[in-house]
Amino acid sequence: MNAIESSPEFVAQIYTEMAERLAIVRKRLGRPLTLTEKILFGHLDNPDTADLRAGESYLQLRPDRVAMQDATAQMALLQFAQADIPRAAVPTTVHCDHLIQAREGAEKDTSRALDENREVYEFLRTASNRYGIGFWKPGAGIIHQVVLEHYAFPGGMMIGTDSHTPNAGGLGMFASGVGGADAVDVMAGFPWEVKSPRIIGVKLTGKLVGWASPKDVILLLCGILTVKGGTNAVIEYFGPGASSISCTGKGTIANMGAELGATTSVFPFDASMDLYLRATERAALADLAAKHTALLTADPEVERDPSKYFARVVTIDLSTLEPHLVGPHTPDLARPISEVAAAVVKESYPDQISVALIGSCTNSSYEDISRVTDVVQQAKAHGMKAATPFLVSPGSEQIRATIARDGQLGEIESVGGQVLANACGPCIGQWKRDELKPGTRNTIVTSFNRNFPARNDGNKDTLAFIASPEIVAAYALAGRLSFNPLKDTLQGRDGKTFTLTAPRPAPDLPANGFVRDRDGYLAPPADGSKIAIEVAKDSKRLQLLTPFAPWDGKDFVELPLLLKAKGKCTTDHISPAGPWLRFRGHLDNISDNMLTGAINAFTGEASPSAPATAREYKSMGLRFIVVGDENYGEGSSREHAAMSPRFLGCAAVIVRSFARIHESNLKKQGILPLTFANPADYDKVREGDLISVFGLATLAPGAELTATLRHTDGGEDRIALRQTLNAEQIAWFKAGSALNVIKGQGR
Ligand code: MIC
Ligand code: SF4
């Protein structure tokens, strides 16, 4: 049986193996290594022979753990069930966090979710028990927070079926977001394959002061690097400023590296991680890490001459960092707080804030909530209450119970704050906003990480802005986006006007320890092989998978263009969440949301009819092609954004560029992800085009393909397409999916 915990024995063994593999790679490379390289190469499946060219080759890695959340684990486990493998090969956990809808507050919302999602939770619980997977029940917390509190450790490697898995980088782990099919590979005992990343070094100097917080580091970086800037790159932080930031603060920064499209973000092992491990009852891991600091930090030469070792170096001086606000609609539209008021006027953003929200997997640490409490107490001293509804999503039961015990929650509630379940809630559209008429243009501010249109409440006219929790708290008090928390005055109920002072530095670890809570955890039995996994035939929520058909050996000839998407097309546009989350285990049903959020380049409108048209083609035995713009598939790891198109008959997706996880999800599911060799050819695609792709029989790594666009007026354009498939991925395409290849090959 696999132990689920990251026990000292388990971690010691990993450090030994890392050292062995690194010795081999060091011999081959003969140069100093960055921290990223140490963890990556320390987890190579084939250190002797691996092709290590950054940005070019694919690495075969052996992650130490897998984590999955309920909205993605359903499809992952349905695929794992198809692979017919008795038990997960590495320690794996499932976390029930995405399916709880925020409505009336923590208790009622959690109990309603238990009722409404019973069938899905039962499936996840029994499948976890059967396959030797640790199961965290609804209400226990959000995946990344629970992983940080219990399983992450410096130098480890983890993959998770959620794009914010890199949160564990705050504790020095190489943690990456993947689609369910990648998780299935690792759970089945195969290596995880990922593009060998470029490494971007971020040097932090100085120390955060005043209102500036770890969140502002990543908000600023989002503005600098943009949502594409981290694609196939790892962000490695270093410098004196890095060690001045708490472990949970580092978690916030690493978490939101997902917004840059980064493979992950890492921080070197330091005293803050040591303290966090001890505060979470893992002193033995802290001792072990201390013994292995050479493995868990970059070689000294790297810090001395960073530009020699990193593809790019960005320097951020924490001492002069101004708090930032990003949004709306994209996390890289960053502005210093002092420029927000002018932007409100210039862009006609609704000034009145309709709701302020803090917490989530990104920002609900003890430090965050304590700084928020400092801000609200200043207002309370003047008899003030929040001017807007003020919602708090704690990241875990550990954090909720601790801030309840230490009084911060009570303080936040006393100014009108409402505590939601320890779950994703409004961050993923699980938010019943009865007060808002659909279609109303309105402003919300959050301390979350995502702000795509319609993301939080299903309303595309909601403008979501992201800032640190302490800044969001200040906005909640003022109720206006044009309010500058650093300077402007508030009017107290006592008749006095006052200016907020910057919250005092707050501890990231409670003086009296965390309230450790493992009630929400269910360990798998020693032998789960007799446990049956039931999926009712007529279930609306779950559906067993049928393997996708293999490639028929022919070129794609004159396939209809289903949709040409324009501009940002995130996985939230391709497979919207919110109400659709309930179908995450039912491929047929969820496919009715396919591409409905994508903006049709010919009409400028969303595409509600895309699923029906695709079904029509399917009934006629026709496959189709989708065309997209830059960074297509940005955002979430949800593989539904690849499985639904595959299920309805998509043969290829042709775009200007892809986001990493989505490109890999398409490959896994047997769809060809292609890019225009000449990005301007995007403009040649016209409404009603029939698209052919030639050269499939000789498909080979690096080979270009040719396509023709036959236009409705009889004209034709011939264009060149690129692809990044390696030999193994070509085999997936030919077999119909990666899963078809794995099946029967189990360990
Ligand atoms: C997100 O933040 O977008 C999600 C919801 O957590 C997703 C996962 C999902 O769609 O289930 C992610 O980040 O991967
Ligand atoms: Fe949940 Fe939001 Fe974090 Fe995704 S980003 S895991 S939806 S809290």
Side-chain angles (χ1 to χ4, degrees):
M1 174 191 158
N2 263 325
I4 303 298
E5 306 308 312
S6 293
S7 66
E9 301 70 38
F10 176 73
V11 175
Q13 176 68 26
I14 290 164
Y15 289 161
T16 305
E17 287 173 19
M18 276 176 78
E20 286 166 6
R21 289 166 171 152
L22 273 184
I24 301 172
V25 175
R26 271 190 193 280
K27 254 205 199 129
R28 291 181 54 196
L29 294 179
R31 62 163 172 81
L33 299 176
T34 61
L35 169 60
T36 306
E37 290 172 319
K38 288 188 185 179
I39 311 182
L40 266 178
F41 300 160
H43 285 82
L44 279 171
D45 183 49
N46 50 348
D48 300 281
T49 53
D51 177 352
L52 304 174
R53 286 168 306 143
E56 302 281 327
S57 62
Y58 284 92
L59 300 177
Q60 305 285 329
L61 300 162
R62 289 285 175 183
D64 307 311
R65 307 193 59 92
V66 173
M68 300 188 281
Q69 42 87 342
D70 50 3
T72 48
Q74 298 172 57
M75 210 43 100
L77 288 169
L78 286 165
Q79 292 177 83
F80 191 68
Q82 260 199 54
D84 205 20
I85 285 160
R87 270 182 100 76
V90 303
T92 301
T93 48
V94 163
H95 304 260
C96 297
D97 52 3
H98 280 60
L99 299 179
I100 302 175
Q101 191 188 46
R103 212 141 120 187
E104 295 163 277
E107 221 166 286
K108 285 191 182 151
D109 292 347
T110 310
S111 80
R112 189 176 340 95
L114 282 170
D115 204 36
E116 285 173 3
N117 302 317
R118 185 174 311 278
E119 181 188 7
V120 170
Y121 292 146
E122 270 308 286
F123 167 74
L124 292 172
R125 186 183 63 78
T126 46
S128 297
N129 279 335
R130 173 167 176 135
Y131 298 126
I133 295 170
F135 179 76
W136 286 84
K137 300 174 212 164
I142 307 177
I143 175 169
H144 312 303
Q145 185 61 31
V146 175
V147 165
L148 194 75
E149 290 165 0
H150 296 272
Y151 302 121
F153 61 91
M157 177 175 282
M158 175 174 70
I159 57 168
T161 58
D162 190 281
S163 68
H164 294 103
T165 304
N167 189 70
L171 200 38
M173 200 171 205
F174 185 111
S176 195
V178 297
D182 283 61
V184 170
D185 284 349
V186 174
M187 286 157 57
F190 294 99
W192 170 51
E193 185 186 77
V194 71
K195 187 84 170 262
S196 178
R198 293 172 300 124
I199 309 169
I200 298 175
V202 177
K203 179 174 182 178
L204 301 179
T205 62
K207 202 170 176 329
L208 292 166
V209 284
W211 285 91
S213 73
K215 183 79 158 194
D216 300 304
V217 174
I218 189 66
L219 297 183
L220 173 73
L221 200 62
C222 283
I224 297 174
L225 294 179
T226 79
V227 290
K228 293 182 58 177
T231 309
N232 292 321
V234 171
I235 316 287
E236 178 167 332
Y237 292 87
F238 67 100
S243 49
S244 73
I245 297 175
S246 64
C247 176
T248 48
K250 292 182 175 88
T252 296
I253 296 173
N255 178 305
M256 251 194 108
E259 271 47 67
L260 304 167
T263 304
T264 193
S265 300
V266 291
F267 278 89
F269 176 65
D270 65 11
S272 71
M273 297 184 193
D274 175 282
L275 290 173
Y276 188 79
L277 283 170
R278 290 179 199 283
T280 48
E281 296 173 357
R282 292 174 290 170
L285 295 192
D287 293 340
L288 260 175
K291 273 202 217 132
H292 292 88
T293 30
L295 274 183
L296 310 175
T297 50
D299 285 340
E301 293 86 342
V302 173
E303 194 152 334
R304 283 206 290 270
D305 192 2
S307 56
K308 197 164 156 195
Y309 300 95
F310 295 116
R312 175 172 178 187
V313 179
V314 178
T315 302
I316 298 177
D317 179 5
L318 302 179
S319 315
T320 57
L321 182 63
E322 188 183 337
H324 275 63
L325 178 86
V326 304
H329 300 329
T330 184
D332 55 2
L333 181 48
R335 294 186 180 95
I337 282 295
S338 56
E339 290 173 18
V340 173
V344 169
V345 176
K346 183 157 175 266
E347 308 293 339
S348 312
Y349 298 143
D351 190 23
Q352 198 195 338
I353 296 170
S354 59
V355 185
L357 307 100
I358 59 168
S360 88
C361 68
T362 331
N363 265 114
S364 58
S365 67
Y366 195 77
E367 183 180 16
D368 289 336
I369 302 294
S370 300
R371 299 224 332 147
V372 165
T373 305
D374 185 318
V375 175
V376 302
Q377 280 174 335
Q378 295 180 45
K380 198 177 158 190
H382 291 277
M384 269 186 88
K385 293 222 182 261
T388 69
F390 186 28
L391 308 180
V392 185
S393 300
S396 69
E397 179 54 17
Q398 167 172 309
I399 204 75
R400 193 212 57 79
T402 307
I403 56 179
R405 180 201 65 194
D406 292 353
Q408 292 95 328
L409 263 195
E411 288 297 282
I412 296 172
E413 284 173 327
S414 74
V415 299
Q418 187 187 18
V419 180
L420 302 176
N422 310 317
C424 303
C427 182
I428 185 58
Q430 290 281 41
W431 184 17
K432 195 151 184 300
R433 266 188 96 176
D434 289 332
E435 91 290 356
L436 187 81
K437 272 225 257 52
T440 313
R441 196 154 182 271
N442 73 109
T443 290
I444 62 171
V445 285
T446 83
S447 73
F448 306 162
N449 41 27
R450 292 258 154 91
N451 58 356
F452 303 141
R455 160 88 184 186
N456 301 102
D457 56 6
N459 174 16
K460 67 175 173 30
D461 298 308
T462 293
L463 278 59
F465 296 86
I466 303 171
S468 69
E470 44 272 55
I471 291 287
V472 172
Y475 279 129
L477 297 169
R480 287 182 300 113
L481 193 64
S482 56
F483 173 76
N484 181 346
L486 280 62
K487 287 230 286 289
D488 293 350
T489 50
L490 291 170
Q491 172 81 41
R493 284 217 185 143
D494 57 5
K496 297 195 181 123
T497 51
F498 65 102
T499 315
L500 293 167
T501 51
R504 284 157 298 173
D508 60 325
L509 307 172
N512 296 322
F514 284 113
V515 178
R516 289 291 270 176
D517 190 291
R518 286 186 71 100
D519 278 1
Y521 178 65
L522 183 69
D527 175 7
S529 59
K530 303 272 168 343
I531 295 170
I533 303 173
E534 314 243 336
V535 171
K537 274 224 162 46
D538 59 349
S539 170
K540 302 245 175 327
R541 307 258 332 236
L542 295 165
Q543 181 187 43
L544 293 174
L545 294 168
T546 315
F548 295 131
W551 176 54
D552 62 6
K554 297 190 190 130
D555 282 336
F556 300 149
V557 180
E558 305 219 325
L559 303 192
L561 167 69
L562 180 78
L563 177 82
K564 176 177 174 181
K566 187 174 94 183
K568 210 179 198 34
C569 190
T570 71
T571 44
D572 275 276
H573 294 82
I574 306 171
S575 179
W580 291 98
L581 281 175
R582 68 183 186 283
F583 297 130
R584 282 288 187 91
H586 197 295
L587 186 53
D588 199 347
N589 285 347
I590 198 163
S591 297
D592 282 332
N593 75 357
M594 186 194 70
L595 286 162
T596 47
I599 302 302
N600 183 325
F602 306 116
T603 63
E605 303 282 325
S607 320
S609 59
T613 313
R615 284 191 192 273
E616 213 177 298
Y617 291 145
K618 188 173 178 171
S619 69
M620 291 152 63
L622 276 179
R623 298 191 71 189
F624 60 83
I625 285 183
V626 172
V627 168
D629 216 323
E630 292 282 7
N631 209 24
Y632 182 87
E634 166 189 344
S636 150
S637 66
R638 61 190 75 145
E639 63 193 329
H640 307 76
M643 291 183 88
S644 290
R646 178 71 171 102
F647 174 73
L648 293 183
C650 181
V653 177
I654 309 175
V655 301
R656 286 177 145 137
S657 65
F658 283 108
R660 173 188 63 93
I661 308 178
H662 187 60
E663 181 178 20
S664 132
N665 286 344
L666 290 171
K667 290 177 181 175
K668 286 270 175 196
Q669 303 302 337
I671 294 182
L672 277 188
L674 305 171
T675 50
F676 295 102
N678 173 10
D681 284 349
Y682 169 89
D683 295 323
K684 294 189 178 149
V685 179
R686 299 193 211 153
E687 195 163 12
D689 274 0
L690 293 176
I691 304 179
S692 306
V693 181
F694 303 109
L696 298 186
T698 51
L699 186 61
E704 278 198 1
L705 297 169
T706 317
T708 54
L709 311 169
R710 180 116 90 77
H711 310 305
T712 45
D713 63 4
E716 194 176 277
D717 276 300
R718 187 167 264 272
I719 60 173
L721 300 174
R722 298 212 172 111
Q723 47 83 21
T724 62
L725 294 121
N726 63 17
E728 190 189 356
Q729 295 164 350
I730 292 173
W732 302 343
F733 165 69
K734 292 186 171 160
S737 71
L739 192 59
N740 289 351
V741 176
I742 289 194
K743 259 195 244 157
Q745 277 186 24
R747 286 196 313 161

